[in-house]
Amino acid sequence: RIYPIRDNDEAWVDNVADQSIFMEMFNHKPKLPDNESIIFYTQQVAYSCEAISANITELGRLELEDLPNLPHDEHRDPFYSYAIAQMEIVRGKPELEEPDPKGNLVQVFLVNFRWPHVLTDCVLTFNAPYEWAIKERPFREIPKAKNRQMFFDMVKTI
């Protein structure tokens, strides 16, 4: 059963791979069309991360077979969509380090679960860097294609 809740978020981080997963709950925005909501939330992530650049590379809708454990009630109009974006994000305080900072290139995967009947949007975000600005950092590199597969495997278990 799904209940409405106020804005809230949770975060999990893998420091070795410099990956993170965020789950955020928002009040449903009825004036925002379903097919535009994932774009809106992707832009919000870019803004909150202070991304130097952000490009959406893939958009799509998730269907019943993609999310077998979530409710699919046609009478209540749930809408499940995803976006994959590439962002350049600077870690730390760039204004203190150098005037023209270079950021890590990060794949950002988002899923938006819209449940208008409970006035809630849930956004799941998976951040996976694939190229680091500071090469001497001991991060485990994971190919972009593998990040994508890990994301969709994770979504299927929800």
Side-chain angles (χ1 to χ4, degrees):
R1 192 168 228 195
I2 301 171
Y3 298 97
I5 62 169
R6 294 185 293 282
D7 290 2
N8 189 17
D9 64 340
E10 295 289 332
W12 297 270
V13 176
D14 175 351
N15 284 330
V16 175
D18 199 29
Q19 296 175 334
S20 58
I21 298 173
F22 293 90
M23 182 177 284
E24 301 173 279
M25 304 295 270
F26 298 101
N27 289 325
H28 180 71
K29 295 165 181 49
K31 292 183 180 177
L32 186 62
D34 288 338
N35 61 341
E36 293 177 17
S37 64
I38 194 68
I39 298 168
F40 170 79
Y41 288 119
T42 303
Q43 292 167 340
Q44 292 299 305
V45 167
Y47 177 78
S48 67
C49 292
E50 299 178 354
I52 294 172
S53 65
N55 298 306
I56 295 174
T57 57
E58 186 176 335
L59 290 170
R61 182 171 180 176
L62 299 168
E63 302 297 339
L64 179 61
E65 60 273 4
D66 300 314
L67 301 163
N69 302 317
L70 285 181
H72 289 272
D73 183 346
E74 294 175 13
H75 304 292
R76 296 195 177 193
D77 296 325
F79 187 84
Y80 307 128
S81 59
Y82 74 92
I84 301 175
Q86 177 178 305
M87 297 183 191
E88 184 177 358
I89 300 172
V90 176
R91 291 174 52 112
K93 302 283 185 209
E95 65 275 1
L96 301 176
E97 294 173 7
E98 58 183 88
D100 188 25
K102 293 210 44 99
N104 296 336
L105 295 181
V106 180
Q107 272 184 303
V108 180
F109 302 84
L110 297 96
V111 175
N112 182 17
F113 308 107
R114 297 199 93 190
W115 297 298
H117 65 285
V118 292
L119 305 175
T120 302
D121 283 358
C122 175
V123 178
L124 178 67
T125 308
F126 171 49
N127 299 312
Y130 63 92
E131 187 176 311
W132 288 269
I134 302 171
K135 300 292 185 190
E136 61 269 11
R137 303 279 313 256
F139 294 124
R140 179 178 68 224
E141 296 209 17
I142 299 173
K144 289 195 299 184
K146 187 169 183 181
N147 284 332
R148 186 181 190 284
Q149 187 59 50
M150 286 182 348
F151 171 71
F152 283 106
D153 289 346
M154 177 179 60
V155 166
K156 243 185 187 162
T157 64
I158 295 174

